[in-house]
Amino acid sequence: MVIRFALGSALVLMASMAFAATPKSNVTHADSENYYLNWQERNGEIALDSVCSKNEKGSMQFRNCQRHAQVMFRNHCKQSNDKSSKWCVAQSRYNP
């Protein structure tokens, strides 16, 4: 989903991505392994302050989400072959 609105004379684009993720495992420990991998995009870049924001900060779900986000950014960066892509920028700057 893309939301467009005018801010002064600049056009700001925001997008939000969300995934419900459950790591592969035969063992479940309450809800500690379930988390939402989400982020927002601003002007074509991943807003790093919004990564995993649907999880409670400090919780096991939040930490699992952060680890998965790092892996996802790294993998997408490798596939893009463009060091200036939003994935590579996020991979180089996102360090929870």
Side-chain angles (χ1 to χ4, degrees):
M1 172 169 70
V2 176
I3 302 169
R4 296 179 185 175
F5 57 93
L7 180 65
S9 62
L11 179 64
V12 178
L13 298 176
M14 282 184 55
S16 179
M17 302 288 291
F19 304 92
T22 304
K24 294 179 182 176
S25 174
N26 291 338
V27 180
T28 55
H29 301 92
D31 285 330
S32 66
E33 294 181 1
N34 297 323
Y35 54 87
Y36 290 100
L37 177 55
N38 70 299
W39 64 84
Q40 292 180 351
E41 294 182 13
R42 295 183 194 116
N43 296 324
E45 291 187 6
I46 295 170
L48 301 178
D49 61 334
S50 70
V51 175
C52 300
S53 61
K54 289 193 176 193
N55 300 284
E56 184 179 338
K57 290 193 181 214
S59 68
M60 181 65 76
Q61 293 89 348
F62 186 73
R63 291 189 298 272
N64 286 338
C65 179
Q66 289 178 314
R67 283 192 284 272
H68 188 212
Q70 286 179 308
V71 171
M72 178 179 254
F73 297 156
R74 182 178 61 238
N75 290 342
H76 281 295
C77 177
K78 286 179 184 178
Q79 290 175 355
S80 75
N81 294 323
D82 177 10
K83 297 297 179 192
S84 64
S85 73
K86 68 181 178 184
W87 303 109
C88 294
V89 171
Q91 188 248 337
S92 67
R93 294 182 183 168
Y94 187 66
N95 191 14

